Amino acid sequence: MNPRIALATAARVLTQLRRDPRTLLLLLLVPVVLEALMKGIFWDQPGVFQRVGVPLLGIFPMTSMFLVTSITMLRERTSGTLERLMTMPLAKLDLLLGYALAFGAVATLQGTLVSLFAFGLLDLNVAGSPAAVVALAVLNALLGTAFGLLVSAFATTEFQAVQFMPAFLFPQLLLSGLMVPRERMLSGLEVFSNFLPMTYAYDALYRVSSSASFSGALAKDVAILVGATLGALILGAATLRRRSG
Amino acid sequence: MTAEGAISVQGLRVIRGGREVLHGVSLEIARGSVTGLLGPSGCGKTTLMRAVVGVQHVAGGSVTVLGHPAGAPALRTRVGYLTQAPSVYDDLTVAENLRYFGRVYGVAPGRAEEVSAVVGLTSHLGQAVGRLSGGQRARVSLATALLNNPEVLVLDEPTVGLDPVLRRDLWEMFHGLARGGATLLVSSHVMDEAERCDSLVLMRDGQVLAAETPARLRETTGAEDIEGAFLTLIAGQEADV
């Protein structure tokens, strides 16, 4: 591992993103618009907006970073640049860390912007610290990045990579508790939801929104999210092969 | 200085997509030389080169580069590889590409300007690679392969689509590198480039037909040029069957 290479990679990924201002603008503005829409559709049910508004702040970054990462990594694989890097003195971890740093930075910007907007203009309230919401949003974004890196290995075209988003993230979103409290689901689905990382993302954000104290249950959620991120990164690293057929 | 060659391939077999594409290739390449790898499209040139840089799964045999197994971590700073399709970032400028890959190699930042001058791209440093012509993009890719002053340089069709003056300049550059002690393996399907090489490896259908100097090759086959020598060798091979 070499921090110089990881940092150079992060800078390179950010420069590439800067060359595509439309993508950057969409990344930053779409969550803001969607959060405003949520406010609008639950206009006369402020309780519902309170319940789903905060978790959504953290789930937007996960989905957008998942998509951006899987497409960027797929391009890296298909353009031959990954193969070139694999002949160079670059550890796989340097590459993954570079990606995580770059998209983590974008996620911080994205999470901060949508949180400021929601807390400042949409009257969304959290019992806990708004900074904790942003921190969870960044953690979720890193989880999305790690999953994006992983699934890019199973996509051979950009069409496939895009389809992995609904295939991989929508079921998690439906089962996370955001739509229906998990204890009211069919017991089989509730058990299944225990194995899905987004369940813990929702849980953690819900806890921060409803209680000011840092509970053991919240710590457990965060630990599971960190573990899932590291696990996905390790699996993702295993899909980066120096040799291919 | 060791007496061993720069690249040694022994009984290399490669299977791709269930089909054996290299059938026990053996080859010795001396240090400080320019070796041309010639043969029709699909004969296994690229696969052989991928095996030399260590990105190809091999089914049997061995590939040794500078005394190490191909692809060994110790070789990653000492080997340069140019893929057939340019492998650079289209959305970055020439300078940004070269600086990034330069940082991965850990070379001085000034190397980016040096290698871009070598391939004649100094005036395009600030341009996005995606906006360059095919030949220019290929040269950015070539410049990247030169960044680390590699001791072994594997170039897959480096001169495709280049104008004759530039092609001549690049071949002069290749020989300059070889005089400096570098070993170059250069593939081409243009037979007239063969005469520029110190030695030639002729391939067909995943096998090496001959590995000789251009002069010896003409002599042994009695042909006037390399194209003729190639045809004579193929005729001889088919007569043997």
Side-chain angles (χ1 to χ4, degrees), chain B residues 4-17:
Chain B
E4 73 195 358
I7 303 171
S8 170
V9 180
Q10 298 295 331
L12 178 67
R13 288 192 311 111
V14 172
I15 296 169
R16 297 189 78 174

Side-chain angles (χ1 to χ4, degrees), chain A residues 51-73:
Chain A
R51 191 174 68 77
V52 300
V54 176
L56 276 179
L57 292 180
I59 288 170
F60 290 136
M62 193 195 296
T63 49
S64 46
M65 293 307 148
F66 176 87
L67 264 181
V68 174
T69 311
S70 56
I71 299 281
T72 318
M73 198 62 198

Side-chain angles (χ1 to χ4, degrees), chain B residues 181-239:
Chain B
T183 307
L184 287 86
L185 180 61
V186 184
S187 79
S188 175
H189 60 256
V190 189
M191 291 294 171
D192 68 348
E193 292 196 327
E195 296 289 351
R196 304 177 191 264
C197 300
D198 300 324
S199 63
L200 292 176
V201 175
L202 299 190
M203 280 185 77
R204 190 167 186 254
D205 292 335
Q207 275 168 329
V208 171
L209 292 183
E212 294 281 6
T213 64
R216 283 269 310 160
L217 204 59
R218 283 194 305 273
E219 209 174 289
T220 50
T221 57
E224 278 183 12
D225 54 20
I226 301 300
E227 180 106 44
F230 205 172
L231 289 171
T232 311
L233 284 166
I234 292 168
Q237 187 194 36
E238 279 167 357

Side-chain angles (χ1 to χ4, degrees), chain A residues 3-4 15-17 25 30 32 55 77 80-81 117 153 168 175 200 204 209 211 223 226:
Chain A
R4 180 197 76 228
T15 310
Q16 285 181 290
L17 213 51
L25 208 64
V30 167
V32 169
R77 286 175 201 272
T81 47
F117 177 74
F168 198 79
L175 292 172
Y200 301 93
S209 76
S211 158
V226 171

Side-chain angles (χ1 to χ4, degrees), chain B residues 162-174:
Chain B
L162 298 186
D163 90 281
V165 178
L166 194 63
R167 237 169 68 179
R168 185 201 61 203
D169 292 350
L170 284 181
W171 276 99
E172 278 171 12
M173 188 257 290
F174 297 160

Side-chain angles (χ1 to χ4, degrees), chain A residues 3-24:
Chain A
R4 180 197 76 228
I5 297 178
L7 285 173
T9 303
R12 186 261 295 170
V13 172
L14 286 175
T15 310
Q16 285 181 290
L17 213 51
R18 228 177 45 225
R19 286 296 135 74
D20 187 358
R22 197 175 299 173
T23 293
L24 206 53

